[in-house]
Structure formats: C-alpha cells, structure tokens
Amino acid sequence: MRVVNIGPDPSLAYRPNLNQTDSKDKHAYRNYESGDLIDRVYNTYRLMHSNQTLDFVKRKHAEWAGCSHTTMTVMESVDALDQLVDESDPDVDFPNSFHAFQTAEGIRREHPDKDWFQLVGLIHDIGKIMALWGEPQWAVVGDTFPVGCRFQNSIVFRDTTFTDNPDDKNPAYNSENGIYKPKCGLDNVLMSWGHDEYLYRVMKFNKCTIPEEGLYMIRFHSFYPWHSHGDYTHLCSEKDLSMLPWVKEFNKFDLYTKSPDLPDVEKLKPYYQTLIDKYCPRKLFW
C-alpha cells in the first residue's frame, strides 16, 4: 500500500479504485460537522460517550460474551440487518445489510484471491444485531475507543460529549495509561462496547476459522482513533502493530464503498454462502 499525506485522517490515503462516476467526493465521508444526518449522529455519540464507562463495558462482556442468547446462521444475521439503519453513520441512511454486500464486493474486486477477506467484508457489522435484541444503538454502533484510560482528542466529538462520563474525571482512569501497562497489547485493553467486540467474541466462541488478520479487522475496524489517527499505540504490542496494515486495508472498503447505488443482494448470496460454509458453517451461538 502507498501512503499519501493528504490530511489529518490517514484513512483517506487508502481508497479503493472506486467507480470514477461516483459523484461523492471521498473527502466528504465521515463529515461530523454538517449534513442532513448530523443531529441524529451527534445524539448517538453523546449518549455513547456519556454512558460507556469501564464498569458498563465489564457488565456488557458478562452479558454478551457467553453467546447464550440464540442460535442462527451467518446469512440469517446478515438478512436481519435489513431492519437496521446505523444512527451513528453520517454517510448513509439505508439498511446495514446493503453496506455488508457493498463492502464485500469492493474487497472481492481488489482481493479476488482472499476469500476470507471477502467474507469479513460481508460479516463485519453483523454484531449490530444486538440493536434488534434490545441494546440501544449507542452501545452497538459507532467508533470505538479504550475505556479505563484517557479519552484521546481524536475521538469523534471528544470536546463536547464526555462531560457526563464519570471516568473522564476519575484519576484512576484519566491518565494516558490508566489501568493498563505500556505495550500491554490490545487483547488486554477493554474497548467501548459495541458490535466489533461482540462479533469477535462470537467468532471465537464458535471456533470459526477466519485467519487472525480477519479477526483483527472484525475486532478493531471501528477503532478510528488507532487505525486512522495513530492514538493509543503506546498500549500496542508488536503483534498489534503488525496487524495494523490489515485493519487499514479493510477500512478503505468499509468506508469508501458506501453508495446509494444498492447491490442486487439475491444474486450475490449464493457466492457468499459458499464462503460462510467454508469458514462459519452451521448455526452459530450468539
């Protein structure tokens, strides 16, 4: 990958070769200052940043990580996202299921030899199904960040949305390292609770055979302060840093394949079902 210094968000340097007729300027993605959806987006992040504390995250791990809620196939979970519009996303206002196939197809075009990568594109957001089971969207969607240490300035709406979060005022949690040791590794860091961590736990619990690179993409694709702004690297292990280019590579498809031109999902399903059968067969525990 070629890194180009074109602005404060390094993810802008990792664009896929999108259709040149796409009318949306790629710099217009992730606009958190204006737009038709900005009020909805801001309110979602305000609730998230007020309520995502260390104690809250620990409770959610206890509630969800045991995968004891239901059983369903991966394709059933993708279909369920027909019912979900992500309230934290400033770029789209259509069901998340279409975004799943857009991302997967973008990866398939540029990485035809990596079927596991294509599958990750399809499934990366299916952890959002929690929002259909009673979780508020602020505990499911949006950018993620570590809890138990200082909330860094690169977090979306950092200046105005953490005033009601008690951890921001707790000296045990608001230093650079907080409860962690330098270079402890992201596996030892508790992230704000959401669909990334939940799906990672589902994949591990069900012993799905997606490679480690793909599991990192699933677990950290919403961790923009890390993969797009370079924050929190002081907590990273060598393994985390070696996986970072993979997360960045995934990000360009997750972000820049969003388009109102929706794919023909029914035509694509048979191909992606073969990938599901290879890496995540049968019904999974959720």
Side-chain angles (χ1 to χ4, degrees), residues 105-118 271:
E105 283 294 279
I107 294 168
R108 185 179 176 188
R109 284 192 294 271
E110 288 206 22
H111 295 279
D113 59 327
K114 294 182 176 62
D115 60 356
W116 60 267
F117 193 0
Q118 300 162 27
Y271 173 74

Side-chain angles (χ1 to χ4, degrees), residues 229-247:
H229 295 282
D231 279 338
Y232 297 105
T233 56
H234 62 286
L235 299 177
C236 292
S237 66
E238 289 300 317
K239 179 182 178 182
D240 298 327
L241 297 177
S242 71
M243 291 291 172
L244 180 56
W246 285 102
V247 180

